[in-house]
Amino acid sequence: MENSGKKYQIDTEENKMFLGELQKNLLNFGKGFLSPGGSAYFLGDDGTPWKDRNRETWITCRMVHVYSMGIMLGDKESPALVHGAVHGLLEELKDRENGGWYPGITPDNKFLPDKQCYAHAFVLLAASSALLAGEKDAETLLKDALELFDKRFWDEKQGLTYDTWNTEFTVLDDYRGLNANMHTVEAFLAVADAIKEEKYRIRAGRIIDHVIGWASANDWRIPEHFTKEWKADLDCNKECPADRFKPYGATPGHGIEWARLIVQWAYSSYKDTPDSAEVYLKAAEKLYNRAVEDSWNVDGNPGIVYTTDWDGKPVVHDRMHWTLAEAINTSAVLWHITHKQKYAKDYEEFMRYLDDKVLDYKNGSWFHQLDENNNVIGTVWPGKSDVYHAFQSTWILIKLLYQFFWFTKYIKRDVFFLKPAINEFFYFFQEIIHLYFSWIE
């Protein structure tokens, strides 16, 4: 019994083996996502494509990102999946008339309206990951995506992003939000690593400074929704609190996710002067600890509640799989940076809950939504749309090596695209992965 518990404890051999098993399961589960045109199907409970649902750009991009990591792990089917989905982003999902990417395509092949920063941030992430994995069309995708993002979504004056345009890019919506900005930070960090263009890392830091300011003034609960003047709208969607992308109140899972991104940004920005990152580490810890205190095991049952009000009282008690994935990610990062036992203990509790309640041992992957009694439901997230959050939670240790070791040592800052170096990196990094996760094969 003692040995079985070790698989939940960070850095044990049993835990590494458990992570490897989860990785293989998730990679295998998601392989049916690719449609004939390259966009991603929404996946059902057993991984079967739900062809009666929209094929969305952000899901397509997430799958490119995941299977680019699959390439790095030596998965033999991943290159074709990445190539096919990148083709979909360059062709059927791309708006050749107005520029940018449609949010998605309906089952009868009509385009969804508007242009979303959220989706375009994921295009940047997908292109960066695919480039690093050696996908031949990723360079074109990334160049196109950066040009469009810089022109339409980045607000240089504010140091934040616009959220939504109409399809033709003639009308800008008044809404401003931090969900799109959060994934923009993720994307900018990936771009900065992929092409060594540090202005994107600097931009990520500008966004982060705003977020820390807003959170610190609000007891470390992050306001999510804003007016066009960037005034917080704390009552947004109060009548529809479980909205999929704009829920009312604080979203603890986002506080946890921001904490990880802040640490990633700080230690890649101040790699030569790590003491300068300390102020950001402290902010990340405050965000994480506030979110965990407000959300973890607070209503009589295990799990992380979806949202709280501004006093930390749960509003939507459902448990979303992505919040758990981010909790696993961030507790691992904070443990490795601080070596505080609290984070190792949190990680162990999160992994145990994952195994007990969230892993679907019958159909594969993770249950995406449970109610407050940990019964599987699908009111916000039916099916299992993608494997992005879950897969990243199994990848974090290798991701740390990737972020803080190889790129800071081997890629020169003044080169935009380095195909020979990237190819050399690909084989070198793949060897590291196989040595570190030797049980995967």
Side-chain angles (χ1 to χ4, degrees), residues 301-349:
N301 289 307
I304 299 172
V305 300
Y306 183 34
T307 64
T308 72
D309 66 16
W310 299 113
D311 294 318
K313 181 180 178 181
V315 175
V316 178
H317 290 250
D318 296 345
R319 286 83 160 110
M320 309 299 178
H321 91 289
W322 68 264
T323 63
L324 178 64
E326 291 303 329
I328 291 168
N329 256 339
T330 305
S331 58
V333 169
L334 290 175
W335 158 250
H336 280 280
I337 295 295
T338 70
H339 299 293
K340 292 179 181 178
Q341 193 60 35
K342 168 188 169 37
Y343 301 123
K345 180 176 179 292
D346 286 353
Y347 177 90
E348 182 176 353
E349 290 184 7

Side-chain angles (χ1 to χ4, degrees), residues 240-311:
C240 185
D243 186 89
R244 182 182 289 185
F245 291 108
K246 298 177 182 178
Y248 161 72
T251 306
H254 282 166
I256 293 167
E257 194 168 356
W258 273 111
R260 172 178 59 83
L261 289 169
I262 289 168
V263 171
Q264 183 182 346
W265 172 80
Y267 282 87
S268 62
S269 296
Y270 298 109
K271 53 185 175 287
D272 297 325
T273 56
D275 288 347
S276 301
E278 285 298 306
V279 64
Y280 290 99
L281 174 61
K282 285 181 169 50
E285 288 189 88
K286 288 178 180 178
L287 282 170
Y288 170 88
N289 287 320
R290 163 56 66 203
V292 171
E293 180 183 338
D294 283 353
S295 66
W296 174 242
N297 296 351
V298 294
D299 57 4
N301 289 307
I304 299 172
V305 300
Y306 183 34
T307 64
T308 72
D309 66 16
W310 299 113
D311 294 318

